Structures are given as structure tokens and as C-alpha cells.
Amino acid sequence: GTRRRATMQNARNAMPNASVVSAALQTLVYGGAASYGLYNSLFNVEGGHRAIVYNRFVGVKDKVYAEGTHFMIPWVERPYVYDVRARAHQVNSQSGSRDLQMVNISIRVLTRPDASKLPEVYRTLGMDFNERVLPSVIHETVKSVVAQHNASELITKREQVSLSIRHLLKQRAAQFNMVLDDVSLTALTFGREYTAAIESKQVAQQEAERAKFVVDKARQDKLSAVIQAEGEAKSAKLIGEAIANNPAFLTLRKIEAARAIAQTMANSNNRVMLSADSLLLNLQDDKPADKK
């Protein structure tokens, strides 16, 4: 019995004190809660982003948080991070021109939220503000501008149309606290009937230009023939006057013709015997044999 009581006493001494266990448990619980609370009281804002904070008691706070690490109250506040870098959006719109032609326009816009107005953007549009605003605003603006021009003007005045769309889009986007950095028309097409009409008109214009060219060429050929005839007549007149005024002119022409014939015969592989008459070398006129 004595040994048994001694063993039980030793076991009691080996067990930790209840107060020590309680203190350890409290430290562990409080330390874990503090670590968890500290972890959830921090949030990061990456580069090119801005954040706002929603408070369960006061709603969306007006402060905009820049890049970096920030504090918040755990379980009471919740951050919402916005990407404030410009993003490209492609929107296709179909509208009617002033002459009732259907026009398909593709527009590419670079848009971003106004970083200073993010609390208002969240209150009115939420996080998916681009999908809520851009399609309707672009369709409305394109229809308004295209309706002011004829289909042909949309081609000849494309730059002016693009500037008008850009100006109106920036005004409309500003009403929703959005910034448009660039607006460009990437495609402009018309209905099948109007496209066929344009092609027919171009073919007719090309045929008219071709007919005009043929007429001009005929006129120029006629004028060239007249000028050539006048030149030949004047040349013949001058030659006749030269022969009449100076008989030696005819002799000079005979010498030139004989030289050309001799050059041709010299370059030929055939050997041909020609008389002086054939070479036009009978330069002296025949004289009468008897003198009176």
C-alpha cells in the first residue's frame, strides 16, 4: 500500500500545473488571433492599380489608395482594387447614313477609369464598368455621327468623321468618370447593294476615262499627221527653191546618195559591180559632141 501511494504521488507531481496549462493555451489563442488579425488587416495595391475600401458601418470611403501596402480593419472593411491602366476595346456598330445606307463600323478605344473618381465609379457602376458603359455609349455616338453624313462622305471625310466620334465619345465617357485615351476607326464597310453600286460606278468611270484617252490619242495622231504633212511640204518647197537658186545643190545630194550606196555595198558579203550611173556618179552633164 505504501508503494502504491508513493507511485500516485509521483504521478501527481509529474503532471503540469493547471494554471500553467491555462496560461499557455491563452497565449496560443491570443497569439493566433493577433496573427490572423494582423494578416487580415493588410492589403496590397499593385503597380498600375488603385483601391477603395468599403466599411460595413459608413459604406464606401472617399479615399483612394495608391500603390503599396495599406491597413484596414479586419471583418469591418473590405478593399476593392481597380486596374487604372488603359485597356483596348473593340466594338462593332451598325447604323444608317443620311441617305439611308447601312454602314458597319468597327471602333477601337483605349479607356481607363478616372482614378480620382473610383469611389463614385464603384457606387454607380461597380467593378465591371467597361461592360456596362462602353457598348451603349459607342453605339449611341456612332449612330448620331453617321446619321449626319451621306455614305460617300463617310469615305471622303473619314478623318473628320473619326474626330467627331472621338469628341462625342470623350464627352459621354466623362459623364461616367471614364477617360478615353484614343479612339480610331478600324473598319468601315457598307451594305451589299451599295458596294455593288460603287463598283459599277467605278467601272463606268474607268470606261469613260478610257474613251477619253482614245479620243485624245486620235486627236493627237491627227494633229501629228497634219504637222508632218506641213513639214514635208515646207521641206519640198525649200529643196525646190535651193535647186532653182543653186544647181550645185542637186550635185551635193547625188554625192550623198552615192556615198550611202557605196557604204551599203561595202558592208555586204556579196560582190556586185555597178556602173557610175547606178552609183549616181555621173556628176557631169552630157556635152554635145560637135560644137557649132
Side-chain angles (χ1 to χ4, degrees):
T2 303
R3 182 179 298 177
R4 183 175 180 182
R5 285 194 298 271
T7 302
M8 293 180 64
Q9 185 65 31
N10 291 335
R12 291 193 190 97
N13 294 333
M15 292 180 62
N17 192 351
S19 61
V20 175
V21 174
S22 176
L25 289 176
Q26 289 179 359
T27 302
L28 182 62
V29 171
Y30 291 150
S35 300
Y36 182 79
L38 180 63
Y39 176 79
N40 285 275
S41 64
L42 299 175
F43 67 95
N44 292 324
V45 180
E46 303 294 337
H49 294 70
R50 297 292 185 273
I52 61 172
V53 171
Y54 171 78
N55 188 288
R56 296 180 184 273
F57 300 106
V58 299
V60 179
K61 303 171 76 173
D62 293 331
K63 181 180 178 181
V64 177
Y65 294 83
E67 302 168 4
T69 302
H70 304 276
F71 290 95
M72 65 177 181
I73 303 175
W75 306 291
V76 176
E77 295 180 339
R78 182 168 61 250
Y80 292 94
V81 180
Y82 280 87
D83 187 351
V84 295
R85 295 171 293 186
R87 288 186 292 174
H89 301 272
Q90 186 85 18
V91 179
N92 299 322
S93 178
Q94 185 180 44
S95 58
S97 62
R98 189 169 62 183
D99 53 354
L100 303 181
Q101 298 294 334
M102 297 307 299
V103 183
N104 297 315
I105 297 180
S106 295
I107 296 182
R108 180 179 180 272
V109 297
L110 288 177
T111 181
R112 55 186 172 85
D114 188 348
S116 62
K117 303 291 183 60
L118 287 181
E120 184 66 22
V121 171
Y122 181 79
R123 292 188 185 100
T124 57
L125 301 175
M127 298 295 293
D128 55 343
F129 57 93
N130 279 324
E131 290 73 15
R132 290 174 178 266
V133 174
L134 280 182
S136 59
V137 169
I138 290 178
H139 288 307
E140 177 186 353
T141 303
V142 169
K143 292 179 184 296
S144 175
V145 174
V146 171
Q148 301 175 11
H149 298 81
N150 293 331
S152 58
E153 293 178 347
L154 296 176
I155 300 176
T156 58
K157 300 180 180 179
R158 179 166 180 168
E159 183 176 358
Q160 180 180 347
V161 172
S162 177
L163 290 175
S164 299
I165 293 176
R166 179 183 305 178
H167 179 69
L168 290 179
L169 272 180
K170 286 186 175 181
Q171 289 183 342
R172 294 284 290 129
Q175 298 176 2
F176 297 95
N177 301 311
M178 296 174 59
V179 179
L180 266 65
D181 293 327
D182 182 65
V183 179
S184 59
L185 297 181
T186 58
L188 178 64
T189 58
F190 299 93
R192 186 177 305 172
E193 296 80 5
Y194 186 77
T195 303
I198 292 179
E199 293 177 353
S200 301
K201 182 179 179 180
Q202 290 177 344
V203 171
Q205 289 177 344
Q206 292 175 357
E207 291 178 351
E209 291 294 332
R210 187 180 298 109
K212 181 179 178 181
F213 172 76
V214 172
V215 172
D216 291 341
K217 185 175 183 300
R219 185 181 296 111
Q220 293 296 329
D221 291 343
K222 181 180 178 181
L223 181 60
S224 176
V226 171
I227 295 174
Q228 182 178 0
E230 290 177 351
E232 291 176 353
K234 187 174 182 180
S235 176
K237 181 180 179 181
L238 293 175
I239 292 174
E241 292 177 354
I243 293 175
N245 296 331
N246 188 4
F249 178 79
L250 183 59
T251 302
L252 178 62
R253 285 301 179 91
K254 287 183 178 181
I255 293 174
E256 292 176 351
R259 182 184 299 170
I261 294 174
Q263 184 66 32
T264 302
M265 297 301 300
N267 294 332
S268 176
N269 295 326
N270 299 324
R271 294 293 181 264
V272 180
M273 302 301 293
L274 297 177
S275 64
D277 292 337
S278 299
L279 286 175
L280 302 178
L281 293 178
N282 51 342
L283 301 178
Q284 300 294 331
D285 294 333
D286 294 334
K287 297 181 179 180
D290 297 332
K291 294 183 181 180
K292 291 185 179 179

